[in-house]
Amino acid sequence: MSGATNVADRTAAPARKRLAVFKFASCDGCQLTLLDCEDEFLALTDAVQIVHFTEATRTSLPGPYDVALVEGSITTPEDAERIQRVRADSRFLVVLGACATAGGIQALRDFGDVREFTEAVYARPEYISTLARSTPIAAHVPVDFELRGCPIDRGQLLEVVTAYLAGRKPRIPDRGVCFECKARGTVCVTVADGTPCLGPVTHAGCGAICPAFRRGCYGCFGPARDPNTAAQIRLLRSQGESPEQITRVFRTFNAASAAFLAASSAQRPDTEEELHDAPA
Amino acid sequence: MTHQHDRTLRVGSLARVEGEGAMHIRLDGGGRVEQARLEIYEPPRFFEAFLRGRAHTEAPDITARVCGICPVAYQISACLAMEDACGVSVGGQLTELRRLLYCGEWIESHALHIHLLHAPDFLGYASGIEMARDHRGDVERGLEIKKVGNALMTLVGGRAIHPVNVRLGGFHRVPTRQELQRFVPELRRALELALETVVWVAGFDFPQATAHHRLLAVDAGDRYPVDGGSRIMTDADYGFRVDRFEDYVFERQVPHSTALYAELADGSTYLTGPLARYNLHSAKLSRHAATAARAAGLGAECRNPFRSIVVRAVETVYAIEESLRIIEDYEPPERPWVPVPAPPRAVRGVGVTEAPRGLLYHRYDLAADGTIAQARIVPPTAQNQAAIEAELCDLVEAHRDLDDLRLTELCEQAIRNHDPCISCSAHFLHLHLERT
């Protein structure tokens, strides 16, 4: 950009920040969360210029982008290339939700044979182009912030967007769901009802919704920082969960996250012996 | 004016639809459509493959992740199919609560589509955001209605996207009467706003078009179909039981799409969604919804797909009135769920509900250990894909004198008539029969 243009920019109204939203393999729920900010959406669109957001507008302007929000995981060769271009065009790259941060539910293909999966779903698998694994965005490009959840929380999304537009770090705690249960005064479903609950090892952010509905946490925000999954597994076993059930509990929307992958793999029959030492 | 050369209309990335699709239309030198395609390139996610081996209780939460726009549709269709497989009937207030949750999804999804995704086509804007500069009040009204739908889903389901409270047999926790009653003022306000929206959209200019396809919708007895039913109705002289769905509907795969095409056994294309529901069931609409429909100029039959936005607005009124009725009659059930144990033998179950954009079919085969042996899901947009393409052909031939830009815009608008949910359509497709 030339010096003359810079001077002209300064004398004009300050340019609005440019926000873009991109989708990869996903359910669209995390980007829908932006449209679910009903009270804030129009104010946001006044404050920033939405230059690319296919779900909401036909307008699509090229980069650079001040902030790019990316939903979804990488599952095709084309998308592996596309994310490189998005990264190159974006000052801050914020990835949204379990697909973008952990590979999502579609990472369950990692435990099977994707060719067999394709044949199971499509009669003409040769028309289908897909990768053997579903990978998070950070496996392909550097990421500035990972917002967790399946789906993400609306309040947290607003915090992250506001923070990057204001040039500060988002205030998103990485503690466990148990903390949120205590904060909202929910009776512990494990202690009171003996309900299996992943709260101790799951990342906070949802506001501990499930226990408030008398349901155990099912881990949709993925692992908390340094989760003690060994203790969690012992607890689940003591509640009567079978190794198969425990494997499935860790293999949902964040199955390919390191901590949950290790926990679910620890339940394989060949390693089960070690776990028999655990107090039942 | 006749174009002397071939024309191609192409939209590489369809906007204001859910998921990733493209449009490709080719006309020959005489202006006849050689090919009209709605191309779905959404990457496949293989739900049907990885559902195998999962516990029967997991289907509602896992299949919700097919679609962030209509997760309740997936959850309830999955519940109905599993309960059918296990020989359990839920009924009573638990079914009413499901319908209430589902109404929340209709309100949210319809309000989003009407105000932010579809209305900009009629008023000439690239988006609801741009439209808000000149029509701020209309967009704000839409967002307010949408918010009430989300609040209703949060109240009953715990959150609006991928609700946590649904389980086989009912809910983890049911609301008290007082919790629901507290929501009545918001719904009353939303009803007024939704009635304003019917008047607003009824005043749009609608291009001439006629949908000639068969129409399919769930038959829910004396009720407008939302949360399921045991039969499917058509506009021909037949209907069929839900468990005969795969005898009447066939799917085939085509190279240009990760979704499969559905068609009826006789090879005819069909349409599901608001137009089909309205044409087959308009007599069952609630009082305000029926009055609003008449005032908006909808007769007993409406075959113009461009007027689907009016039908959606009427259905929004219906979903709000229905929510008010359910809350008024609500008595908390004795227990939040009925047990749905898997029988110790191989069983099969089917479930069908009306997602905001159309009929959603689930079928599960369970192994004797209660895990899923096979899953099949037929989402609404896969069913509508062939009908949408047929409508594009008619539309392009009728308007071939328009320049490419205007004709392309008109085609995009026509696709949005059906609120396509492309993420859904790519994910669950399972070939049953291939025909060329």
Side-chain angles (χ1 to χ4, degrees):
Chain A
M1 190 183 283
S2 74
T5 312
N6 270 331
V7 172
D9 277 352
R10 269 186 238 120
T11 53
R16 289 184 299 165
K17 292 273 175 65
R18 293 160 61 87
L19 179 76
V21 182
F22 294 95
K23 173 191 158 68
F24 291 83
S26 66
C27 79
D28 283 52
C30 289
Q31 55 175 317
L32 177 67
T33 306
L34 194 58
L35 299 175
D36 277 358
C37 300
E38 288 98 357
D39 291 335
E40 300 87 3
F41 184 68
L42 289 179
L44 178 74
T45 61
D46 290 339
V48 306
Q49 188 187 6
I50 295 188
V51 291
H52 181 91
F53 183 6
T54 306
E55 187 168 292
T57 178
R58 298 178 81 217
T59 301
S60 175
L61 302 175
Y65 315 112
D66 292 295
V67 178
L69 303 175
V70 169
E71 168 196 278
S73 68
I74 303 300
T75 63
T76 66
E78 297 75 25
D79 279 356
E81 286 172 24
R82 185 161 61 101
I83 191 62
Q84 299 291 339
R85 294 197 297 274
V86 171
R87 172 70 270 187
D89 281 344
S90 307
R91 178 152 179 250
F92 292 114
L93 184 69
V94 175
V95 302
L96 307 180
C99 297
T101 61
I105 187 82
Q106 57 273 17
L108 291 178
R109 75 178 64 188
D110 299 5
F111 306 98
D113 169 2
V114 76
R115 227 173 29 190
E116 188 273 327
F117 273 29
T118 311
E119 284 162 7
V121 178
Y122 295 96
R124 304 290 297 271
E126 66 272 22
Y127 296 160
I128 303 297
S129 157
T130 193
L131 296 171
R133 297 181 59 209
S134 168
T135 42
I137 302 301
H140 298 264
V141 294
V143 163
D144 293 292
F145 194 83
E146 292 192 321
L147 187 61
R148 301 286 202 84
C150 183
I152 55 169
D153 175 77
R154 182 173 57 180
Q156 291 202 330
L157 175 64
L158 283 171
E159 162 60 16
V160 170
V161 171
T162 309
Y164 279 105
L165 292 173
R168 64 170 171 82
K169 200 174 178 307
R171 286 188 278 265
I172 303 289
D174 60 359
R175 57 203 178 203
V177 168
C178 288
F179 188 95
E180 295 190 315
C181 259
K182 302 292 172 289
R184 70 185 280 175
T186 303
V187 173
C188 177
V189 294
T190 287
V191 173
D193 308 334
T195 301
C197 178
L198 290 186
V201 296
T202 299
H203 199 286
C206 65
I209 302 168
C210 289
F213 279 80
R214 310 306 294 166
R215 173 184 191 177
C217 166
Y218 62 104
C220 71
F221 272 58
R225 190 183 51 191
D226 304 327
N228 188 346
T229 50
Q232 176 81 67
I233 289 167
R234 285 197 295 275
L235 181 59
L236 292 170
R237 292 293 289 271
S238 75
Q239 290 171 317
E241 298 287 294
S242 69
E244 293 77 19
Q245 283 172 316
I246 295 173
T247 293
R248 288 198 295 258
V249 156
F250 284 108
R251 284 190 184 166
T252 60
F253 322 109
N254 294 277
S257 67
F260 283 6
L261 177 61
S264 72
S265 303
Q267 299 301 307
R268 286 202 313 263
D270 51 32
T271 54
E272 211 179 298
E273 286 305 311
E274 301 157 31
L275 288 157
H276 285 162
D277 299 333
Chain B
M1 176 180 97
T2 304
H3 291 265
Q4 297 304 310
H5 50 83
D6 294 359
R7 292 170 82 188
T8 298
L9 307 174
R10 182 158 178 82
V11 178
S13 182
L14 285 167
R16 305 204 313 270
V17 299
E18 196 263 338
E20 295 185 308
M23 183 191 84
H24 191 114
I25 297 171
R26 207 168 61 223
L27 292 89
D28 67 17
R32 293 187 60 82
V33 176
E34 282 182 353
Q35 192 175 62
R37 285 177 173 178
L38 171 61
E39 298 173 345
I40 290 180
Y41 59 86
E42 179 89 16
R45 290 165 72 206
F46 304 112
F47 276 83
E48 287 173 319
F50 61 64
L51 274 165
R52 295 171 304 176
R54 303 299 299 213
H56 77 303
T57 50
E58 294 184 289
D61 283 323
I62 291 180
T63 62
R65 269 65 184 185
V66 174
C67 178
I69 319 290
C70 47
V72 172
Y74 281 86
Q75 291 182 337
I76 305 301
S77 281
C79 284
L80 293 178
M82 286 301 178
E83 289 153 10
D84 180 44
C86 300
V88 173
S89 170
V90 174
Q93 289 292 305
L94 289 172
T95 297
E96 292 292 276
L97 276 177
R98 282 180 174 170
R99 192 170 171 89
L100 181 62
L101 176 67
Y102 217 134
C103 283
E105 182 158 289
W106 273 34
I107 297 165
E108 191 281 332
S109 178
H110 277 359
L112 171 70
H113 189 259
I114 294 166
H115 300 86
L116 287 178
L117 309 186
H118 207 195
D121 283 326
F122 291 91
L123 300 176
Y125 297 92
S127 70
I129 302 162
E130 271 188 24
M131 195 177 78
R133 285 206 291 268
D134 302 326
H135 302 268
R136 185 111 180 170
D138 296 313
V139 175
E140 282 177 345
R141 186 180 64 245
L143 287 168
E144 200 175 335
I145 299 167
K146 178 176 176 308
K147 187 181 169 186
V148 171
N150 274 338
L152 182 56
M153 281 194 281
T154 304
L155 176 64
V156 181
R159 64 183 171 196
I161 301 171
H162 307 327
V164 304
N165 195 23
V166 174
R167 54 166 293 163
L168 296 189
F171 294 87
H172 291 276
R173 176 191 178 277
V174 292
T176 63
R177 191 168 156 72
Q178 197 184 21
E179 282 172 318
L180 294 186
Q181 282 291 337
R182 273 202 294 269
F183 196 66
V184 166
E186 276 183 68
L187 281 169
R188 291 227 170 97
R189 163 94 181 127
L191 180 58
E192 284 174 32
L193 299 175
L195 287 166
E196 284 176 37
T197 286
V198 177
V199 175
W200 180 55
V201 298
F204 292 169
D205 286 331
F206 303 101
Q208 282 301 315
T210 305
H212 298 291
H213 341 284
R214 284 271 163 268
L215 304 174
L216 248 73
V218 172
D219 181 355
D222 55 359
R223 288 186 173 182
Y224 201 78
V226 181
D227 58 319
S230 57
R231 289 181 64 80
I232 289 170
M233 221 170 138
T234 76
D235 64 333
D237 55 356
Y238 69 93
F240 49 90
R241 283 207 334 254
V242 164
D243 60 2
R244 300 284 309 280
F245 183 83
E246 293 177 49
D247 296 330
Y248 285 87
V249 172
F250 294 89
E251 287 183 296
R252 63 191 164 88
Q253 190 182 0
V254 294
H256 66 264
S257 177
T258 48
L260 304 183
Y261 278 55
E263 61 190 24
L264 294 174
D266 63 7
S268 56
T269 59
Y270 70 94
L271 193 65
T272 79
L275 271 192
R277 290 191 294 254
Y278 182 85
N279 279 290
L280 295 170
H281 299 292
S282 65
K284 300 163 189 171
L285 285 169
S286 52
R287 189 168 58 96
H288 283 105
T291 309
R294 270 195 304 277
L298 293 176
E301 190 177 64
C302 171
R303 288 259 174 188
N304 183 347
F306 288 95
R307 292 174 74 91
S308 65
I309 190 170
V310 184
V311 175
R312 249 176 231 107
V314 167
E315 286 191 339
T316 308
V317 171
Y318 175 77
I320 296 169
E321 272 191 293
E322 184 67 353
S323 301
L324 284 163
R325 181 195 67 74
I326 292 169
I327 291 174
E328 182 55 39
D329 297 344
Y330 179 66
E331 294 295 339
E334 274 178 32
R335 44 186 183 172
W337 74 84
V338 295
V340 186
R345 60 179 187 281
V347 288
R348 166 177 287 195
V350 299
V352 174
T353 64
E354 287 284 348
R357 49 200 52 70
L359 196 146
L360 172 61
Y361 171 83
H362 286 220
R363 185 251 293 162
Y364 298 99
D365 291 280
L366 300 184
D369 66 354
T371 58
I372 297 169
Q374 206 185 31
R376 182 168 184 229
I377 293 187
V378 185
T381 296
Q383 300 178 66
N384 287 343
Q385 195 175 355
I388 292 172
E389 291 183 351
E391 287 178 14
L392 288 174
C393 280
D394 291 348
L395 192 70
V396 167
E397 298 206 345
H399 296 271
R400 61 186 168 208
D401 289 344
L402 290 175
D403 63 40
D404 283 3
L405 182 67
R406 182 65 199 111
L407 189 53
T408 302
E409 283 176 359
L410 188 63
C411 289
E412 282 187 68
Q413 179 178 4
I415 291 171
R416 284 189 280 267
N417 282 339
H418 301 289
D419 189 10
C421 190
I422 293 173
S423 303
C424 291
S425 51
H427 296 155
F428 255 116
L429 306 159
H430 187 105
L431 196 88
H432 193 66
L433 175 77
E434 188 179 355
R435 284 187 288 206
T436 49

